[in-house]
Amino acid sequence: GNSVTQMEGPVTLSEEAFLTINCTYTATGYPSLFWYVQYPGEGLQLLLKATKADDKGSNKGFEATYRKETTSFHLEKGSVQVSDSAVYFCALASGGYNKLIFGAGTRLAVHP
Amino acid sequence: EAGVAQSPRYKIIEKRQSVAFWCNPISGHATLYWYQQILGQGPKLLIQFQNNGVVDDSQLPKDRFSAERLKGVDSTLKIQPAKLEDSAVYLCASSSLGSTDTQYFGPGTRLTVL
């Protein structure tokens, strides 16, 4: 069945460091891929998405490229801020009803 | 535009009791989802409605969980009787009708079963 695997956390970085959170997926067909973020005390928010191979999603300085050959959708940011501290979830949607399948989440802590 | 509303935000019950959660989606969104998020895991879809019909309830424990969406707008999720392993955050989300449309999530209800 469809599944998402993302790197375990927590990831701890200093401000202005480079961030990579790995995400790989298993799916039949051609899924859409998403990164959601959950800030402390808040609900899940869509960060970025890509709907077909080689698409790059981007938002708030974060980027992720849909790599079909490696079944990956790694999240990157060139310079993290303390305000980026949150839990990041990789997810895929496949099939006609837009059902989301999430990874386990990666907690990011950014220190000044 | 108002977001997805959920209530209550927190609930503590004892095992074998019943509990209900309420969700009001974004106005005009035809599709409504209930997810269960156990601590340390990603959300798992329990049930999906399109208007007031169920399109996916394959992971809903139907012996104890039930959900309805009257008139295709707000929805309730019920657990009866609750078990310890039901302790989780219950998330409601909604989206427009399109197959790739963004799902918007509510703040969730944190359930603790003692």
Side-chain angles (χ1 to χ4, degrees):
Chain A
N2 296 343
S3 66
V4 175
T5 303
Q6 55 182 113
M7 66 187 286
E8 291 187 17
V11 174
T12 303
L13 295 173
S14 298
E15 209 166 21
E16 299 183 2
F18 184 86
L19 169 71
T20 300
I21 300 178
N22 290 338
C23 171
T24 57
Y25 67 90
T26 301
T28 54
Y30 302 95
S32 296
L33 301 174
F34 305 81
W35 278 100
Y36 276 82
V37 59
Q38 191 168 36
Y39 297 104
E42 299 184 17
L44 278 167
Q45 302 174 26
L46 177 67
L47 181 59
L48 54 85
K49 69 178 183 182
T51 57
K52 61 182 188 296
D54 300 325
D55 268 2
K56 178 185 286 188
S58 61
N59 186 26
K60 299 181 181 181
F62 291 89
E63 293 183 341
T65 301
Y66 188 135
R67 301 285 188 200
K68 191 173 186 301
E69 63 276 10
T70 55
T71 62
S72 65
F73 193 55
H74 304 322
L75 182 69
E76 296 181 337
K77 186 175 185 182
S79 175
V80 294
Q81 305 300 312
V82 172
S83 57
D84 294 326
S85 298
V87 181
Y88 292 82
F89 293 92
C90 185
L92 68 83
S94 181
Y97 289 116
N98 202 27
K99 169 182 175 177
L100 282 174
I101 295 172
F102 286 87
T106 302
R107 182 175 299 276
L108 170 66
V110 181
H111 299 288
Chain B
E1 179 183 79
V4 176
Q6 291 187 247
S7 68
R9 292 295 308 277
Y10 304 92
K11 190 73 177 179
I12 301 173
I13 62 172
E14 296 190 351
K15 60 183 179 183
R16 292 188 289 273
Q17 287 186 323
S18 62
V19 64
F21 313 126
W22 174 83
C23 172
N24 188 251
I26 292 172
S27 178
H29 278 189
T31 309
L32 185 148
Y33 313 79
W34 284 102
Y35 290 85
Q36 180 193 57
Q37 185 177 13
I38 293 172
L39 186 65
Q41 299 180 19
K44 180 185 79 172
L45 181 70
L46 291 176
I47 189 168
Q48 177 179 347
F49 294 92
Q50 193 153 295
N51 295 308
N52 59 351
V54 175
V55 297
D56 187 341
D57 64 356
S58 57
Q59 297 193 88
L60 186 74
K62 299 180 187 62
D63 57 334
R64 298 184 299 106
F65 286 63
S66 64
E68 60 182 6
R69 189 181 185 196
L70 299 175
K71 301 181 181 178
V73 183
D74 55 356
S75 174
T76 56
L77 176 70
K78 297 180 182 178
I79 308 175
Q80 182 179 11
K83 293 185 175 181
L84 297 177
E85 59 261 35
D86 299 332
S87 294
V89 176
Y90 291 84
L91 298 167
C92 180
S94 70
S95 71
S96 301
L97 201 54
S99 63
T100 59
D101 283 350
T102 299
Q103 294 185 30
Y104 295 88
F105 284 79
T109 297
R110 182 177 298 277
L111 173 67
T112 302
V113 182
L114 303 176

